Amino acid sequence: MDYDVNKLKGFILEYLIKKGKFGGAHTPIDNVLHNMPSRLLHNKKSMKAIDVAIKELVNIGWVIVMKKRTGKGTGLHMAINPKHIKDIYAFLGLSNI
């Protein structure tokens, strides 16, 4: 099965928008992964595609990944870069709010 990286990017971005994770509001990457369909999480090829999707989102600047320390430990967190909201909404086919 071929995993479409653009669909995975869309899923990640939609999740972050739905949860309101823009700029300073961030969520652990694990939360994003746990909300993906379980069939994707138990397959090495799909996990590789998810990693590629996250790296591409970071490289084009749409998503910010930072190391954050919380009361539960330290881990990687992600949020949407507010400077690219128009581009993200265009990619997802949504209208700006």
Side-chain angles (χ1 to χ4, degrees):
M1 182 177 203
D2 187 23
Y3 299 99
D4 186 7
V5 175
N6 285 330
K7 284 185 181 179
L8 293 171
K9 285 191 228 178
F11 182 86
I12 293 165
L13 292 170
E14 286 176 359
Y15 175 80
L16 292 172
I17 289 171
K18 181 175 75 173
K19 294 296 182 180
K21 302 304 179 185
F22 298 93
H26 49 82
T27 188
I29 290 179
D30 289 343
N31 286 358
V32 178
L33 295 178
H34 289 296
N35 285 290
M36 291 198 164
S38 61
R39 63 181 165 77
L40 296 177
L41 299 177
H42 302 295
N43 184 330
K44 283 186 180 183
K45 288 183 181 179
S46 63
M47 288 303 293
K48 176 80 172 168
I50 292 168
D51 288 342
V52 168
I54 291 172
K55 286 178 185 175
E56 286 183 12
L57 288 171
V58 170
N59 287 341
I60 58 178
W62 288 3
V63 171
I64 302 165
V65 174
M66 61 212 102
K67 191 172 188 179
K68 289 288 185 179
R69 184 173 175 178
T70 63
K72 297 179 182 178
T74 303
L76 291 176
H77 289 225
M78 66 188 326
I80 290 178
N81 187 346
K83 295 179 183 178
H84 296 282
I85 291 174
K86 288 183 182 180
D87 297 331
I88 292 168
Y89 279 18
F91 175 77
L92 295 174
L94 301 173
S95 61
N96 279 347
I97 296 174

